[in-house]
Amino acid sequence: MTPRTATLIGLTAILMWSLLSVMTVATGTIPAFQLAAMTFSIGGLVGLLTWIGRGEAARSLRQPLVVWAVGVGGLFGYHALYFLALRFAPPAEAGLLNYLWPLLIVLFSSFLPGERLALHHIVGAMLGLVGTVLLFAGNTSGFAAGQVPGLAAAFIAAFVWAAYSVLSRRLKAVPTDAVAGFCLATAVLAALMHGLLETTVWPETTLQWLSVIALGIGPVGAAFYAWDIGMKRGDIRVLGAASYATPLLSTGFLIAAGFAKASANIAIAAILIAGGGLIAAKDMVLRKR
């Protein structure tokens, strides 16, 4: 697989994650950790289904403890922190702090062997950050002292996801099949958290059940496998900068579904984020065939 192909596969994860908000809204009032347990179970099963006819795939779960710590720590740790942030902090502020992770991925990539961080990578990531700030502008209303733990959780979550993504590159020899195991372990931990903190609420309509299944197959399933391929074999700096398209596309899907309204801020943010992504991907876009 060429780096260009792997990068394109990684970009599909960004597209799938942009559907996360609208799909989550469609699931109704299912508690966060319960939804995570349900969707990560489906996501893990998606991976297991790809093992059919490949007897050697099961051996991918035989990994050192450090690999499991990175995989499960990244998937469960990030989502647990983000759910905590949404519980104690305003969603807009929490989301803005959380979306530091694309910039952190670009910056952390400079510590990887053989990776070179050029000026256009930094410029592209910064433009994406500015566009994201603009996207959230007007939706913030300040915060109280009691919301500080939630904001801190969102900030730490950004570092956790960036670290997981970049460390995946260091663990390049670990097959993507192992992500199925990480998803299932995350589902178990989420179920435990649900039992401790939440009251069970099952989907009430066919649409809600279908939305849960779709979440598990796509944004909380296939997306993690695609992201793993992109991080391990693609251009990690391009994927980091391009990740700023997630909140923009997510907003676009919410507008299309009637859950949000279009605005000038969104239009300007689109230009900044798209421009930043193109600048960061300059090498890949202009590379001679």
Side-chain angles (χ1 to χ4, degrees):
M1 182 182 297
T2 66
R4 181 190 289 266
T5 299
T7 302
L8 292 174
I9 291 174
L11 290 174
T12 66
I14 295 172
L15 179 60
M16 284 185 275
W17 285 331
S18 68
L19 292 166
L20 185 63
S21 294
V22 69
M23 285 186 176
T24 300
V25 171
T27 62
T29 58
I30 303 173
F33 281 108
Q34 180 189 344
L35 184 60
M38 295 171 70
T39 53
F40 271 102
S41 295
I42 297 171
L45 291 175
V46 167
L48 294 182
L49 288 175
T50 67
W51 294 8
I52 297 175
R54 296 189 299 122
E56 76 284 356
R59 292 198 293 270
S60 65
L61 298 182
R62 299 175 185 172
Q63 300 297 333
L65 183 60
V66 65
V67 173
W68 281 93
V70 171
V72 179
L75 294 183
F76 176 74
Y78 169 76
H79 287 87
L81 284 166
Y82 189 52
F83 291 157
L84 181 66
L86 293 179
R87 181 183 294 266
F88 292 105
E93 285 85 340
L96 187 55
L97 282 173
N98 176 64
Y99 270 107
L100 286 172
W101 65 260
L103 176 61
L104 292 174
I105 286 177
V106 174
L107 297 178
F108 288 173
S109 70
S110 63
F111 296 104
L112 292 170
E115 297 292 339
R116 184 178 64 86
L117 190 60
L119 178 61
H120 63 276
H121 296 128
I122 299 175
V123 170
M126 290 303 297
L127 282 175
L129 178 60
V130 172
T132 301
V133 171
L134 187 60
L135 193 63
F136 283 92
N139 294 325
T140 58
S141 55
F143 58 89
Q147 297 170 339
V148 171
L151 295 171
F155 184 71
I156 296 171
F159 278 84
V160 169
W161 187 252
Y164 163 75
S165 298
V166 175
L167 286 173
S168 294
R169 183 62 151 243
R170 295 298 299 267
L171 300 174
K172 192 174 182 178
V174 177
T176 296
D177 287 324
V179 175
F182 303 155
C183 286
L184 292 175
T186 296
V188 172
L189 292 174
L192 291 174
M193 292 296 288
H194 167 64
L196 291 172
L197 302 173
E198 300 172 337
T199 301
T200 301
V201 177
W202 294 109
E204 298 177 347
T205 67
T206 301
L207 176 61
Q208 290 177 0
W209 275 110
L210 290 175
S211 297
V212 170
I213 295 171
L215 271 174
I217 293 175
V220 192
F224 291 122
Y225 302 102
W227 188 248
D228 190 72
I229 292 171
M231 287 292 105
K232 288 177 177 175
R233 296 174 174 79
D235 192 321
I236 193 170
R237 301 150 305 181
V238 171
L239 288 170
S243 296
Y244 277 115
T246 304
L248 177 66
L249 290 172
S250 178
T251 302
F253 286 124
L254 287 170
I255 291 172
F259 295 121
K261 295 182 179 180
S263 69
N265 273 12
I266 293 176
I268 298 173
I271 295 172
L272 289 170
I273 293 172
L278 287 174
I279 291 172
K282 179 175 69 72
D283 294 338
M284 190 176 77
V285 173
L286 300 180
R287 185 180 299 160
K288 293 182 179 179
R289 296 174 181 257

